[in-house]
Amino acid sequence: GAGVSQSPSNKVTEKGKDVELRCDPISGHTALYWYRQRLGQGLEFLIYFQGNSAPDKSGLPSDRFSAERTGESVSTLTIQRTQQEDSAVYLCASSGGLAGSTDTQYFGPGTRLTVL
Amino acid sequence: QKEVEQDPGPLSVPEGAIVSLNCTYSNSAFQYFMWYRQYSRKGPELLMYTYSSGNKEDGRFTAQVDKSSKYISLFIRDSQPSDSATYLCALKNTGGFKTIFGAGTRLFVKA
């Protein structure tokens, strides 16, 4: 079946503009995660969804960042008034959402965001 | 103190070498220990996972967990150029959903 898809694959924007990044998880996966990966660095947790609710938003770096998920499917990460330090690859992952297990996360290819 | 520490490398080895990749962590509550592999411009993919302490072997790959030392390792035997990638350790609590990732170690295997 289809894996996790993300769009756009690349996004170049000007400082101060808003951007929306989209994630289509694997069908039936209840858990969805957003991460940020700066060049040469590891994954920085942003937000986690279980179904359509977000029990853990602790990683969102500022109030310019928000995310929503609808229909226990597609999720959108929105960054308002982008800054140059927002430049990074934004990765989405989905999983079966099973507690008490490894709950393997399946990652999409990421959206490479460049803020000029 | 970071919850997990991982040397970012890069680590360069000749083809056929044994590779050792390591992470240390601080939270004794972690019970699930995973290794993800990430090729350039791709998302990470799960390579191996271990529950609690001990060893797990899968082909050329062996994962080790030493909970007493809070130290986890991934060994790659007979390394191949196709193993060139970034390897990220990942840790998770029992019953939790949040996975903590290491910074990743970049590995280059030269033919």
Short mmCIF file of all heavy atoms in Angstrom, two decimals, chain A residues 2-11 20-26 32-37 43 46 73-77 79 88-94 105-113, chain B residues 38 41-44:
data_model
loop_
_atom_site.label_atom_id
_atom_site.label_comp_id
_atom_site.label_asym_id
_atom_site.label_seq_id
_atom_site.Cartn_x
_atom_site.Cartn_y
_atom_site.Cartn_z
N ALA A 2 0.22 2.39 -0.11
CA ALA A 2 0.93 3.65 -0.17
C ALA A 2 1.53 3.97 1.18
O ALA A 2 0.95 3.67 2.23
CB ALA A 2 -0.02 4.76 -0.61
N GLY A 3 2.68 4.61 1.15
CA GLY A 3 3.32 5.06 2.38
C GLY A 3 2.85 6.45 2.75
O GLY A 3 1.85 6.96 2.24
N VAL A 4 3.60 7.09 3.62
CA VAL A 4 3.31 8.46 4.03
C VAL A 4 3.75 9.40 2.92
O VAL A 4 4.87 9.26 2.41
CB VAL A 4 4.04 8.81 5.34
CG1 VAL A 4 3.78 10.26 5.72
CG2 VAL A 4 3.62 7.86 6.45
N SER A 5 2.88 10.30 2.53
CA SER A 5 3.28 11.27 1.51
C SER A 5 3.20 12.68 2.09
O SER A 5 2.40 12.96 3.00
CB SER A 5 2.39 11.15 0.26
OG SER A 5 1.04 11.40 0.57
N GLN A 6 4.05 13.54 1.57
CA GLN A 6 4.11 14.93 2.02
C GLN A 6 4.17 15.84 0.81
O GLN A 6 4.77 15.50 -0.20
CB GLN A 6 5.34 15.17 2.91
CG GLN A 6 5.28 14.46 4.25
CD GLN A 6 6.45 14.83 5.14
OE1 GLN A 6 7.30 13.99 5.44
NE2 GLN A 6 6.48 16.08 5.58
N SER A 7 3.55 17.00 0.96
CA SER A 7 3.63 17.98 -0.12
C SER A 7 3.66 19.38 0.46
O SER A 7 3.12 19.63 1.54
CB SER A 7 2.42 17.82 -1.05
OG SER A 7 1.21 18.03 -0.35
N PRO A 8 4.33 20.32 -0.22
CA PRO A 8 5.18 20.06 -1.38
C PRO A 8 6.48 19.39 -0.96
O PRO A 8 6.80 19.33 0.23
CB PRO A 8 5.44 21.48 -1.91
CG PRO A 8 5.42 22.34 -0.70
CD PRO A 8 4.36 21.74 0.21
N SER A 9 7.24 18.89 -1.91
CA SER A 9 8.53 18.30 -1.55
C SER A 9 9.54 19.40 -1.26
O SER A 9 10.43 19.21 -0.42
CB SER A 9 9.03 17.40 -2.68
OG SER A 9 9.08 18.12 -3.89
N ASN A 10 9.42 20.52 -1.95
CA ASN A 10 10.28 21.68 -1.72
C ASN A 10 9.43 22.93 -1.68
O ASN A 10 8.47 23.05 -2.44
CB ASN A 10 11.32 21.82 -2.83
CG ASN A 10 12.44 20.82 -2.70
OD1 ASN A 10 13.33 20.97 -1.87
ND2 ASN A 10 12.39 19.77 -3.49
N LYS A 11 9.81 23.85 -0.80
CA LYS A 11 9.10 25.12 -0.71
C LYS A 11 10.11 26.22 -0.43
O LYS A 11 10.85 26.16 0.56
CB LYS A 11 8.05 25.07 0.40
CG LYS A 11 7.30 26.38 0.63
CD LYS A 11 6.34 26.68 -0.48
CE LYS A 11 5.54 27.94 -0.20
NZ LYS A 11 4.62 28.27 -1.34
N GLU A 20 2.05 26.46 4.35
CA GLU A 20 1.31 25.29 4.80
C GLU A 20 1.97 24.04 4.24
O GLU A 20 2.21 23.94 3.03
CB GLU A 20 -0.14 25.35 4.31
CG GLU A 20 -1.02 26.25 5.12
CD GLU A 20 -2.50 26.08 4.76
OE1 GLU A 20 -2.81 25.31 3.83
OE2 GLU A 20 -3.32 26.74 5.40
N LEU A 21 2.24 23.10 5.13
CA LEU A 21 2.85 21.84 4.75
C LEU A 21 1.84 20.73 5.02
O LEU A 21 1.20 20.71 6.07
CB LEU A 21 4.13 21.59 5.55
CG LEU A 21 5.11 22.76 5.63
CD1 LEU A 21 6.33 22.38 6.45
CD2 LEU A 21 5.52 23.24 4.26
N ARG A 22 1.74 19.80 4.07
CA ARG A 22 0.69 18.79 4.16
C ARG A 22 1.29 17.40 4.35
O ARG A 22 2.34 17.09 3.79
CB ARG A 22 -0.15 18.81 2.89
CG ARG A 22 -1.24 17.75 2.81
CD ARG A 22 -1.92 17.76 1.45
NE ARG A 22 -2.75 16.58 1.27
CZ ARG A 22 -4.08 16.62 1.26
NH1 ARG A 22 -4.73 17.76 1.42
NH2 ARG A 22 -4.77 15.50 1.08
N CYS A 23 0.59 16.58 5.12
CA CYS A 23 1.00 15.20 5.35
C CYS A 23 -0.20 14.27 5.17
O CYS A 23 -1.26 14.50 5.79
CB CYS A 23 1.57 15.03 6.75
SG CYS A 23 1.92 13.31 7.20
N ASP A 24 -0.03 13.24 4.33
CA ASP A 24 -1.03 12.20 4.17
C ASP A 24 -0.49 10.93 4.80
O ASP A 24 0.44 10.32 4.23
CB ASP A 24 -1.35 11.97 2.70
CG ASP A 24 -2.23 13.05 2.11
OD1 ASP A 24 -1.67 14.07 1.66
OD2 ASP A 24 -3.45 12.87 2.13
N PRO A 25 -1.03 10.51 5.94
CA PRO A 25 -0.46 9.34 6.61
C PRO A 25 -0.91 8.05 5.95
O PRO A 25 -1.75 8.05 5.04
CB PRO A 25 -1.05 9.46 8.02
CG PRO A 25 -2.39 10.10 7.78
CD PRO A 25 -2.17 11.07 6.65
N ILE A 26 -0.36 6.95 6.42
CA ILE A 26 -0.80 5.64 5.97
C ILE A 26 -2.24 5.42 6.45
O ILE A 26 -2.57 5.73 7.60
CB ILE A 26 0.14 4.55 6.50
CG1 ILE A 26 1.52 4.68 5.83
CG2 ILE A 26 -0.44 3.16 6.27
CD1 ILE A 26 2.59 3.78 6.40
N LEU A 32 -0.01 10.43 14.43
CA LEU A 32 0.70 11.21 13.41
C LEU A 32 1.64 12.17 14.13
O LEU A 32 1.28 12.78 15.14
CB LEU A 32 -0.29 11.98 12.53
CG LEU A 32 0.27 12.73 11.31
CD1 LEU A 32 -0.74 12.71 10.17
CD2 LEU A 32 0.68 14.13 11.65
N TYR A 33 2.85 12.29 13.62
CA TYR A 33 3.89 13.11 14.24
C TYR A 33 4.47 14.07 13.22
O TYR A 33 4.62 13.73 12.04
CB TYR A 33 5.04 12.22 14.74
CG TYR A 33 4.64 11.09 15.66
CD1 TYR A 33 4.07 9.93 15.16
CD2 TYR A 33 4.88 11.17 17.02
CE1 TYR A 33 3.71 8.88 15.99
CE2 TYR A 33 4.54 10.13 17.87
CZ TYR A 33 3.95 8.99 17.34
OH TYR A 33 3.62 7.95 18.18
N TRP A 34 4.84 15.23 13.71
CA TRP A 34 5.63 16.18 12.91
C TRP A 34 6.97 16.39 13.60
O TRP A 34 7.04 16.58 14.84
CB TRP A 34 4.92 17.53 12.78
CG TRP A 34 3.79 17.58 11.81
CD1 TRP A 34 2.45 17.48 12.07
CD2 TRP A 34 3.90 17.78 10.39
NE1 TRP A 34 1.73 17.59 10.92
CE2 TRP A 34 2.58 17.79 9.87
CE3 TRP A 34 4.97 17.97 9.51
CZ2 TRP A 34 2.32 17.96 8.51
CZ3 TRP A 34 4.71 18.14 8.17
CH2 TRP A 34 3.40 18.13 7.68
N TYR A 35 8.03 16.41 12.79
CA TYR A 35 9.38 16.67 13.26
C TYR A 35 10.02 17.72 12.37
O TYR A 35 9.65 17.89 11.21
CB TYR A 35 10.26 15.41 13.19
CG TYR A 35 9.82 14.26 14.07
CD1 TYR A 35 8.93 13.29 13.60
CD2 TYR A 35 10.32 14.12 15.36
CE1 TYR A 35 8.55 12.22 14.39
CE2 TYR A 35 9.94 13.05 16.17
CZ TYR A 35 9.05 12.11 15.67
OH TYR A 35 8.68 11.05 16.47
N ARG A 36 11.01 18.38 12.92
CA ARG A 36 11.84 19.30 12.15
C ARG A 36 13.28 18.78 12.18
O ARG A 36 13.77 18.34 13.24
CB ARG A 36 11.78 20.71 12.75
CG ARG A 36 12.62 21.73 12.02
CD ARG A 36 12.31 23.15 12.47
NE ARG A 36 12.72 23.44 13.83
CZ ARG A 36 12.53 24.63 14.41
NH1 ARG A 36 11.95 25.60 13.74
NH2 ARG A 36 12.93 24.82 15.65
N GLN A 37 13.94 18.83 11.04
CA GLN A 37 15.32 18.37 10.96
C GLN A 37 16.14 19.46 10.28
O GLN A 37 16.01 19.66 9.06
CB GLN A 37 15.42 17.05 10.20
CG GLN A 37 16.81 16.43 10.24
CD GLN A 37 16.86 15.05 9.62
OE1 GLN A 37 16.16 14.75 8.65
NE2 GLN A 37 17.70 14.17 10.17
N LEU A 43 16.33 14.71 14.63
CA LEU A 43 14.91 15.05 14.53
C LEU A 43 14.45 15.79 15.79
O LEU A 43 14.66 15.33 16.90
CB LEU A 43 14.07 13.78 14.37
CG LEU A 43 13.91 13.25 12.96
CD1 LEU A 43 15.23 12.78 12.40
CD2 LEU A 43 12.90 12.11 12.93
N LEU A 46 7.97 18.09 17.09
CA LEU A 46 7.12 19.28 17.08
C LEU A 46 5.77 19.03 17.75
O LEU A 46 5.39 19.71 18.69
CB LEU A 46 6.91 19.78 15.65
CG LEU A 46 8.16 20.24 14.89
CD1 LEU A 46 7.79 20.67 13.49
CD2 LEU A 46 8.87 21.36 15.63
N SER A 73 -7.01 11.76 9.33
CA SER A 73 -6.22 11.49 8.14
C SER A 73 -5.22 12.62 7.94
O SER A 73 -4.29 12.77 8.71
CB SER A 73 -7.13 11.30 6.93
OG SER A 73 -6.36 11.05 5.78
N VAL A 74 -5.49 13.45 6.97
CA VAL A 74 -4.55 14.49 6.56
C VAL A 74 -4.24 15.45 7.70
O VAL A 74 -5.11 15.82 8.49
CB VAL A 74 -5.14 15.27 5.37
CG1 VAL A 74 -4.28 16.47 5.02
CG2 VAL A 74 -5.31 14.36 4.17
N SER A 75 -2.98 15.86 7.73
CA SER A 75 -2.57 16.89 8.70
C SER A 75 -1.88 18.03 7.97
O SER A 75 -1.21 17.80 6.94
CB SER A 75 -1.62 16.30 9.74
OG SER A 75 -1.14 17.30 10.62
N THR A 76 -2.06 19.23 8.50
CA THR A 76 -1.41 20.40 7.94
C THR A 76 -0.61 21.10 9.03
O THR A 76 -1.13 21.35 10.12
CB THR A 76 -2.45 21.39 7.37
OG1 THR A 76 -3.23 20.73 6.39
CG2 THR A 76 -1.76 22.59 6.75
N LEU A 77 0.63 21.39 8.74
CA LEU A 77 1.48 22.19 9.63
C LEU A 77 1.59 23.57 9.00
O LEU A 77 1.98 23.70 7.84
CB LEU A 77 2.87 21.55 9.78
CG LEU A 77 3.90 22.32 10.60
CD1 LEU A 77 3.51 22.32 12.08
CD2 LEU A 77 5.30 21.71 10.44
N ILE A 79 3.11 27.46 9.28
CA ILE A 79 4.08 28.37 9.89
C ILE A 79 3.74 29.77 9.42
O ILE A 79 3.75 30.05 8.21
CB ILE A 79 5.53 28.02 9.49
CG1 ILE A 79 5.83 26.53 9.74
CG2 ILE A 79 6.52 28.89 10.28
CD1 ILE A 79 7.18 26.07 9.21
N ALA A 88 14.42 24.32 7.12
CA ALA A 88 14.71 22.97 7.59
C ALA A 88 13.90 22.00 6.73
O ALA A 88 13.12 22.41 5.88
CB ALA A 88 14.32 22.80 9.06
N VAL A 89 14.11 20.71 6.99
CA VAL A 89 13.24 19.68 6.42
C VAL A 89 12.20 19.34 7.48
O VAL A 89 12.53 19.07 8.64
CB VAL A 89 14.03 18.43 6.03
CG1 VAL A 89 13.08 17.32 5.56
CG2 VAL A 89 15.04 18.75 4.93
N TYR A 90 10.94 19.38 7.08
CA TYR A 90 9.85 19.05 7.99
C TYR A 90 9.36 17.65 7.64
O TYR A 90 8.89 17.41 6.53
CB TYR A 90 8.74 20.09 7.91
CG TYR A 90 9.19 21.39 8.52
CD1 TYR A 90 9.96 22.30 7.79
CD2 TYR A 90 8.91 21.69 9.85
CE1 TYR A 90 10.42 23.48 8.37
CE2 TYR A 90 9.36 22.86 10.44
CZ TYR A 90 10.12 23.74 9.69
OH TYR A 90 10.59 24.91 10.27
N LEU A 91 9.50 16.74 8.59
CA LEU A 91 9.15 15.34 8.39
C LEU A 91 7.87 15.00 9.11
O LEU A 91 7.63 15.44 10.24
CB LEU A 91 10.27 14.44 8.91
CG LEU A 91 11.57 14.44 8.10
CD1 LEU A 91 12.73 13.92 8.94
CD2 LEU A 91 11.42 13.58 6.85
N CYS A 92 7.06 14.19 8.46
CA CYS A 92 5.83 13.69 9.05
C CYS A 92 5.97 12.18 9.18
O CYS A 92 6.59 11.52 8.32
CB CYS A 92 4.64 14.05 8.16
SG CYS A 92 3.08 13.31 8.65
N ALA A 93 5.43 11.61 10.23
CA ALA A 93 5.43 10.16 10.40
C ALA A 93 4.07 9.74 10.92
O ALA A 93 3.37 10.51 11.60
CB ALA A 93 6.52 9.73 11.38
N SER A 94 3.68 8.51 10.60
CA SER A 94 2.45 7.97 11.16
C SER A 94 2.72 6.59 11.74
O SER A 94 3.70 5.93 11.38
CB SER A 94 1.33 7.93 10.12
OG SER A 94 1.56 6.93 9.14
N GLN A 105 7.17 4.04 13.68
CA GLN A 105 6.79 5.23 12.92
C GLN A 105 7.28 5.08 11.49
O GLN A 105 8.43 4.73 11.26
CB GLN A 105 7.40 6.47 13.57
CG GLN A 105 6.83 6.74 14.96
CD GLN A 105 7.37 8.02 15.55
OE1 GLN A 105 7.63 9.00 14.86
NE2 GLN A 105 7.51 8.05 16.87
N TYR A 106 6.41 5.38 10.56
CA TYR A 106 6.74 5.36 9.14
C TYR A 106 6.80 6.80 8.66
O TYR A 106 5.82 7.54 8.80
CB TYR A 106 5.68 4.57 8.35
CG TYR A 106 5.65 3.11 8.74
CD1 TYR A 106 4.89 2.68 9.82
CD2 TYR A 106 6.40 2.16 8.05
CE1 TYR A 106 4.87 1.35 10.20
CE2 TYR A 106 6.38 0.82 8.42
CZ TYR A 106 5.62 0.43 9.50
OH TYR A 106 5.61 -0.89 9.87
N PHE A 107 7.92 7.15 8.11
CA PHE A 107 8.17 8.54 7.75
C PHE A 107 7.88 8.81 6.28
O PHE A 107 8.09 7.97 5.41
CB PHE A 107 9.63 8.91 8.03
CG PHE A 107 9.93 9.12 9.48
CD1 PHE A 107 10.21 8.06 10.32
CD2 PHE A 107 9.94 10.40 10.02
CE1 PHE A 107 10.49 8.25 11.67
CE2 PHE A 107 10.22 10.61 11.36
CZ PHE A 107 10.49 9.53 12.18
N GLY A 108 7.44 10.04 6.04
CA GLY A 108 7.37 10.53 4.67
C GLY A 108 8.73 11.06 4.24
O GLY A 108 9.67 11.08 5.03
N PRO A 109 8.83 11.50 2.99
CA PRO A 109 10.11 11.98 2.46
C PRO A 109 10.47 13.38 2.94
O PRO A 109 11.61 13.82 2.76
CB PRO A 109 9.90 11.97 0.95
CG PRO A 109 8.42 12.14 0.79
CD PRO A 109 7.78 11.46 1.96
N GLY A 110 9.52 14.07 3.54
CA GLY A 110 9.81 15.40 4.07
C GLY A 110 9.51 16.52 3.09
O GLY A 110 9.41 16.32 1.88
N THR A 111 9.33 17.71 3.65
CA THR A 111 9.24 18.95 2.88
C THR A 111 10.44 19.81 3.23
O THR A 111 10.66 20.12 4.40
CB THR A 111 7.95 19.74 3.20
OG1 THR A 111 6.81 19.00 2.76
CG2 THR A 111 7.98 21.11 2.53
N ARG A 112 11.20 20.15 2.20
CA ARG A 112 12.39 21.00 2.42
C ARG A 112 11.96 22.45 2.29
O ARG A 112 11.58 22.90 1.21
CB ARG A 112 13.46 20.66 1.39
CG ARG A 112 14.79 21.38 1.59
CD ARG A 112 15.84 20.81 0.63
NE ARG A 112 16.06 19.39 0.87
CZ ARG A 112 16.93 18.89 1.73
NH1 ARG A 112 17.70 19.71 2.43
NH2 ARG A 112 17.06 17.60 1.88
N LEU A 113 11.98 23.17 3.42
CA LEU A 113 11.56 24.57 3.45
C LEU A 113 12.78 25.48 3.48
O LEU A 113 13.66 25.31 4.33
CB LEU A 113 10.69 24.84 4.68
CG LEU A 113 10.27 26.29 4.90
CD1 LEU A 113 9.35 26.77 3.78
CD2 LEU A 113 9.58 26.47 6.25
N GLN B 38 18.64 6.60 7.73
CA GLN B 38 18.15 7.67 6.87
C GLN B 38 19.13 7.91 5.73
O GLN B 38 20.26 8.37 5.95
CB GLN B 38 17.94 8.97 7.67
CG GLN B 38 17.31 10.08 6.87
CD GLN B 38 17.03 11.33 7.70
OE1 GLN B 38 17.64 11.54 8.74
NE2 GLN B 38 16.09 12.16 7.25
N ARG B 41 18.25 12.79 1.71
CA ARG B 41 17.01 13.34 1.15
C ARG B 41 15.83 12.36 1.23
O ARG B 41 14.90 12.42 0.43
CB ARG B 41 17.22 13.81 -0.28
CG ARG B 41 18.15 15.00 -0.36
CD ARG B 41 18.29 15.56 -1.76
NE ARG B 41 19.11 16.77 -1.73
CZ ARG B 41 18.60 17.99 -1.67
NH1 ARG B 41 17.31 18.18 -1.63
NH2 ARG B 41 19.41 19.05 -1.64
N LYS B 42 15.88 11.45 2.20
CA LYS B 42 14.78 10.53 2.44
C LYS B 42 14.38 10.63 3.91
O LYS B 42 15.12 11.15 4.74
CB LYS B 42 15.19 9.09 2.14
CG LYS B 42 15.67 8.84 0.73
CD LYS B 42 14.54 8.79 -0.25
CE LYS B 42 15.02 8.36 -1.62
NZ LYS B 42 13.93 8.37 -2.62
N GLY B 43 13.19 10.10 4.23
CA GLY B 43 12.79 10.02 5.62
C GLY B 43 13.46 8.83 6.29
O GLY B 43 13.86 7.88 5.63
N PRO B 44 13.59 8.86 7.61
CA PRO B 44 14.17 7.71 8.32
C PRO B 44 13.29 6.47 8.18
O PRO B 44 12.07 6.57 8.04
CB PRO B 44 14.21 8.18 9.78
CG PRO B 44 14.08 9.66 9.73
CD PRO B 44 13.25 9.96 8.52
#
